Amino acid sequence: MQELLFLAHRIPYPPNKGDKLRSYNMLRYLSQRYRVHLGCFVDSADDRKYITKVKSLCYETCFVDQSPLAARLRSLRGLASGEALSLPYYRDAGMAAWVARVLRRRPVHAALVFSSPMAQYLMAPGAGALRRVVDFVDVDSEKWRQYAEVRRWPMAALYRREARALLAHERSVAQRFESASFVSQAEAALFRRLAPESGHKVSYFNNGVDADYFSPHILQRSPFPPGAANLVFTGAMDYWPNIDAVQWFAREVFAPLCARLPALGFYIVGARPPPEVRVLARQPGVVVTGTVADVRPYLAHASVCVAPLRIARGVQNKVLEAMAMQKVVLVSPQALEGISARPGSELLVAEGGPAFIAHIEAVLAAPSPRAMALAARARVLADYSWSVNLERLSALLAAPLPERAR
């Protein structure tokens, strides 16, 4: 069995947020085909209890504890060096030493880097002797550019700087690695425009959904009051685009709806809600759950699942999971990007408060939106299988090393 080095910026478990969902399924898939040497950071004390689970999928591991506060302070070194702040954030001498030791002692065939900052551990000249694949997932530099557009000075200026510096790093990585992958065709196309010199190396493979787990056929007890209509948003609530989405939706969409439909509920379901999200529960009809043992009951019994993101990159797993649960899903154009679903027949798309309100009222008034719900699940079953989509990653890792890199 060949050996693989896998570097990730966060421990790939539990699969309860977008990046971990992708990295865990990649690790699980690759562990059946390679002896995997995994190096990653652990940025939450709660995640340490999953180390044994992750080790069971690997041949050798390196887990580096990371204090987010200390990492943020360390990232400021980038202001002096001119590099993207994301690079010193994920720079660690112990991780670098472990990577060097694995490459020196083990017959590693290929290396997979998950997210661009981790590529810094494989940029030394000697690392060119193995096949290197970077899964950028999203064009992170574009995310920072979007942040800059909606924030005020001085953060807007800092985010613009990060967008420029991180794009320069992304382009450098793509030039030096043998292959670069993204989470969707749209993200791959965007990067080809931003880094045309590496366009021939760029590909993508979609995320997947465990359609047996996210299934409408598993009975779920309703978490809602009997007879009430409910709108549901799911996601990690310490992520700023999710925070912005629920704040906007509660103000611009739910408040006017609730004035006409006082029994309507809006459930914000996700871990680690900050104060600016928890305060929304003071608004009539809004419920902020915090961490829940299982999101499926909320999806299964939702009247409408909503994803009103105004800033989004890549593929929104929350949308795919709700579609797999055979629900009517209402999204913003940004949340739809990268998902191959047909608006109007497999889900609904709205831009702006009045359009969201009109769609929600129409769904609530309809006798049964069953046709759209059935079509939503059918789309997920057709296009979002982990085992099928990860075959693209397997092919990237198995390709021969170019002659110039040997």
Side-chain angles (χ1 to χ4, degrees):
M1 184 178 283
Q2 291 182 319
E3 300 194 14
L4 172 75
L5 176 64
F6 185 10
L7 301 178
H9 70 299
R10 188 176 289 121
I11 182 173
Y13 201 85
N16 57 1
K17 59 191 304 183
D19 66 297
K20 290 187 177 186
L21 184 67
R22 185 171 172 92
S23 60
Y24 167 67
N25 279 281
M26 289 164 63
L27 175 61
R28 185 174 61 170
Y29 176 88
L30 294 170
S31 68
Q32 300 168 12
R33 293 158 176 81
Y34 293 90
R35 288 193 181 100
V36 178
H37 303 273
L38 172 71
C40 64
F41 289 92
V42 182
D43 60 4
S44 166
D46 289 342
D47 282 351
R48 290 200 59 80
K49 61 177 175 283
Y50 302 116
I51 286 178
T52 300
K53 164 68 176 178
V54 174
K55 280 185 173 182
S56 71
L57 299 172
C58 303
Y59 187 79
E60 185 178 350
T61 55
C62 175
F63 298 95
V64 175
D65 288 323
Q66 183 188 59
S67 161
L69 176 58
R72 283 194 291 271
L73 293 174
R74 187 169 60 247
S75 72
L76 296 178
R77 297 173 185 171
L79 295 175
S81 65
E83 63 188 339
L85 305 186
S86 303
L87 299 184
Y89 189 100
Y90 289 106
R91 186 169 294 148
D92 179 80
M95 177 70 74
W98 178 82
V99 169
R101 187 165 59 251
V102 169
L103 295 181
R104 185 172 62 251
R105 296 180 178 178
R106 302 300 308 180
V108 175
H109 162 75
L112 172 62
V113 167
F114 186 83
S115 84
S116 64
M118 298 303 290
Q120 63 187 304
Y121 295 102
L122 291 174
M123 298 288 272
L130 73 160
R131 183 167 182 81
R132 293 169 295 175
V133 175
V134 57
D135 184 29
F136 285 114
V137 189
D138 309 325
V139 184
D140 277 344
S141 56
E142 181 68 8
K143 174 189 68 179
W144 291 108
R145 188 193 65 78
Q146 288 182 325
Y147 284 1
E149 289 183 346
V150 297
R151 291 297 185 96
R152 297 179 179 177
W153 190 89
M155 297 310 296
L158 185 65
Y159 291 161
R160 277 193 293 272
R161 179 200 180 276
E162 184 67 3
R164 291 192 300 270
L166 190 55
L167 177 59
H169 172 69
E170 291 166 341
R171 294 179 70 170
S172 176
V173 171
Q175 282 190 291
R176 297 171 70 173
F177 277 44
E178 281 64 58
S179 185
S181 65
F182 290 87
V183 73
S184 69
Q185 187 174 16
E187 289 294 293
L190 171 61
F191 191 72
R192 288 191 190 99
R193 293 196 299 272
L194 295 173
E197 68 281 357
S198 299
H200 62 289
K201 299 181 180 181
V202 175
S203 61
Y204 74 95
F205 60 93
N206 291 327
N207 274 0
V209 178
D210 186 341
D212 292 328
Y213 182 82
F214 288 99
S215 170
H217 308 302
I218 298 175
L219 295 178
Q220 305 282 347
R221 179 178 295 180
S222 175
F224 306 128
N230 295 285
L231 313 176
V232 172
F233 177 96
T234 61
M237 292 317 305
D238 57 351
Y239 182 50
W240 187 73
N242 287 345
I243 296 170
D244 175 73
V246 297
Q247 288 179 316
W248 176 85
F249 188 84
R251 181 181 66 249
E252 301 295 332
V253 179
F254 185 70
L257 275 172
C258 197
R260 298 198 286 270
L261 303 168
L264 185 65
F266 174 38
Y267 282 69
I268 301 169
V269 183
R272 301 175 298 278
E276 58 266 39
V277 172
R278 293 198 299 270
V279 75
L280 297 176
R282 299 177 184 174
Q283 184 175 326
V286 177
V287 177
V288 180
T289 69
T291 301
V292 298
D294 192 343
V295 300
R296 291 176 299 172
Y298 293 89
L299 296 174
H301 295 278
S303 305
V304 184
C305 296
V306 298
L309 282 89
R310 300 193 294 174
I311 293 176
R313 295 255 46 89
V315 169
Q316 298 301 312
N317 295 294
K318 59 174 68 70
V319 174
L320 296 177
E321 290 165 358
M323 292 173 65
M325 291 291 292
Q326 208 165 280
K327 304 304 298 183
V328 172
V329 186
L330 174 58
V331 304
S332 63
Q334 294 91 326
L336 179 62
E337 185 174 329
I339 295 178
S340 60
R342 293 178 296 175
S345 59
E346 295 168 347
L347 48 60
L348 297 171
V349 183
E351 188 166 13
F356 267 91
I357 291 171
H359 275 305
I360 291 169
E361 288 182 327
V363 173
L364 297 180
S368 174
R370 183 167 175 77
M372 179 173 291
L374 289 170
R377 180 167 171 83
R379 172 59 63 189
V380 169
L381 294 176
D383 290 352
Y384 295 96
S385 161
W386 275 117
S387 60
V388 172
N389 293 343
L390 284 171
E391 289 178 1
R392 293 191 181 189
L393 174 62
S394 186
L396 293 177
L397 291 168
L401 195 65
E403 286 292 335
R404 59 177 174 76
R406 294 180 182 176

